[in-house]
């Protein structure tokens, strides 16, 4: 189940809304590993506000073990979008650091997973922009587009990617994700694979902020990617993975420099040089 504004997920600013009903639906969606629902409840269990309802904190007690479980659930689903998963990962990193009880292996796994989500988040945002531009210009599918296709015309759609479009624009070759097989189909048997929580208009998919009418603060990451890379680099260095740590420190330094954080950039550049010997 999706929880989106006018479809379920969003701020309910009316002071008389039924917060118990909101909580019930969030719990139900979380039981199905719905990422936005797990993230919202994970934030509340950590004592934070959520875009869903500003009243949830008044009835939901703080429980960091429950929060960690919910945030991990938010990161588990395979399908996009990756933005809320990255936000969940960042919050989980913060909780684990505050508690200072997690093993280095656990922390490294969470950091690596969160960084992967951040990379995918950027790719998804670029795909949205590219698709919107094509739709605005009246162009159809292009090689590289993520789609679902009617496999063998059996009526079941499977995810894949466009690898070739016919000269007349009436058919395309799809490479399926599950087994890498390819199939040529007419365009009426191919449909765009939209991110599950996106609102789609005639000009293409909308961002969450555009669809909601305000910024979804639940999905705001607590850390920049370069900060997580520096944290991961320290752990890699501690466990003897000097070359990997040096690479991460260099990337962290580049990111910090681009963000105007010159002191951090200098520190991480020095750490990279020390590890490279």
């Amino acid at each position: 189940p999706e929880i989106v504004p006018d479809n379920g997920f969003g701020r309910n600013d009316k002071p008389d809304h039924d917060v118990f009903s909101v909580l019930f639906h969030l719990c139900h969606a979380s039981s199905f590993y719905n990422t936005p629902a797990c993230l919202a409840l994970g934030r509340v269990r950590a004592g934070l506000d959520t875009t869903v309802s500003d009243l949830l904190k008044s009835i939901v007690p703080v429980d960091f073990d429950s929060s960690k479980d919910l945030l991990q659930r938010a990161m588990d689903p395979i399908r996009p979008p990756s933005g809320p998963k990255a936000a969940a990962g960042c919050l989980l990193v913060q909780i684990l650091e505050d508690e200072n009880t997690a093993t280095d292996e656990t922390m490294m796994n969470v950091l690596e997973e969160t960084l992967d989500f951040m990379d995918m988040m950027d790719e998804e945002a670029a795909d949205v922009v590219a698709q919107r531009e094509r739709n605005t210009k009246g162009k159809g599918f292009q090689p590289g587009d993520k789609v679902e296709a009617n496999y063998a015309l059996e009526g079941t759609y499977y995810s894949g990617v466009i690898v070739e479009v016919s000269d007349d624009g009436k058919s395309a070759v799809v490479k399926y994700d599950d087994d890498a097989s390819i199939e040529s189909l007419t365009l009426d048997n191919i449909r765009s694979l939209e991110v599950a929580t996106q609102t789609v208009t005639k000009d293409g998919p909308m961002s969450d902020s555009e669809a909601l009418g305000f910024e979804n603060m639940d999905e705001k990451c607590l850390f920049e990617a370069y900060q997580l890379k520096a944290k991961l680099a320290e752990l890699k260095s501690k466990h003897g993975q000097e070359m990997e740590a040096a690479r991460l420190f260099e990337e962290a330094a580049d990111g910090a420099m681009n963000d105007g954080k010159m002191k951090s950039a200098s520190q991480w550049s020095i750490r990279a040089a020390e590890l490279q010997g």
Side-chain angles (χ1 to χ4, degrees):
E2 297 299 336
I3 310 182
V4 287
D6 295 325
N7 296 324
F9 189 100
R11 182 182 297 278
N12 189 336
D13 289 321
K14 296 180 179 180
D16 58 345
H17 70 271
D18 185 354
V19 66
F20 293 100
S21 177
V22 172
L23 179 59
F24 170 81
H25 287 292
L26 279 177
C27 292
H28 180 69
S30 297
S31 70
F32 291 98
Y33 287 74
N34 176 278
T35 294
C38 290
L39 174 57
L41 283 178
R43 288 179 60 83
V44 175
R45 289 297 242 173
L48 301 174
D49 290 323
T50 172
T51 305
V52 176
S53 169
D54 53 6
L55 299 181
L56 282 170
K57 285 203 308 181
S58 66
I59 65 170
V60 178
V62 172
D63 184 326
F64 286 102
D65 286 336
S66 174
S67 177
K68 289 185 290 184
D69 179 65
L70 285 161
L71 294 171
Q72 188 61 65
R73 277 174 170 254
M75 299 167 69
D76 283 346
I78 298 174
R79 287 179 61 88
S82 300
K85 299 177 189 178
C90 285
L91 180 52
L92 183 55
V93 167
Q94 183 65 71
I95 294 173
L96 293 176
E97 284 188 334
D98 290 344
E99 292 181 337
N100 196 29
T101 57
T103 65
D104 288 349
E105 181 180 6
T106 295
M107 184 62 79
M108 284 193 287
N109 287 338
V110 174
L111 286 167
E112 288 172 340
E113 192 173 5
T114 303
L115 284 167
D116 286 342
F117 288 138
M118 286 183 164
D119 287 340
M120 289 186 281
M121 180 175 63
D122 292 339
E123 293 173 4
E124 290 164 10
D127 288 343
V128 168
V129 172
Q131 183 175 338
R132 180 178 296 178
E133 290 177 349
R134 288 197 298 271
N135 291 348
T136 301
K137 295 176 181 178
K139 295 183 178 180
F141 290 119
Q142 299 292 316
D145 284 353
K146 297 175 183 178
V147 297
E148 290 180 325
N150 184 7
Y151 178 72
L153 302 180
E154 294 177 348
T156 302
Y157 283 74
Y158 294 94
S159 63
V161 62
I162 298 288
V163 296
E164 184 180 344
V165 179
S166 64
D167 292 337
D168 60 11
K170 295 181 179 179
S171 64
V173 176
V174 177
K175 181 178 181 180
Y176 292 102
D177 292 336
D178 57 352
D179 61 1
S181 63
I182 61 173
E183 182 177 26
S184 179
L185 294 165
T186 57
L187 296 191
D188 57 345
N189 287 293
I190 303 173
R191 62 195 185 196
S192 295
L193 180 58
E194 306 292 353
V195 173
T197 59
Q198 284 179 346
T199 300
V200 182
T201 70
K202 62 182 179 62
D203 294 324
M206 301 172 68
S207 67
D208 283 348
S209 296
E210 291 170 329
L212 295 173
F214 57 87
E215 185 176 3
N216 184 355
M217 296 305 295
D218 284 10
E219 297 183 14
K220 185 175 178 60
C221 291
L222 294 178
F223 301 102
E224 299 292 340
Y226 64 82
Q227 294 173 309
L228 297 184
K229 289 180 179 180
K231 294 176 185 293
L232 181 58
E234 289 289 1
L235 290 170
K236 295 280 188 180
S237 174
K238 178 180 177 182
H239 288 270
Q241 301 178 45
E242 286 88 358
M243 296 310 297
E244 178 68 8
R247 180 187 66 80
L248 287 165
F249 273 127
E250 287 180 339
E251 293 181 4
D254 290 341
M257 186 174 296
N258 291 335
D259 200 26
K261 309 296 184 182
M262 305 309 295
K263 182 177 180 180
S264 294
S266 177
Q267 291 175 341
W268 294 332
S269 292
I270 292 173
R271 291 285 285 118
E274 290 173 345
L275 289 169
Q276 290 169 339

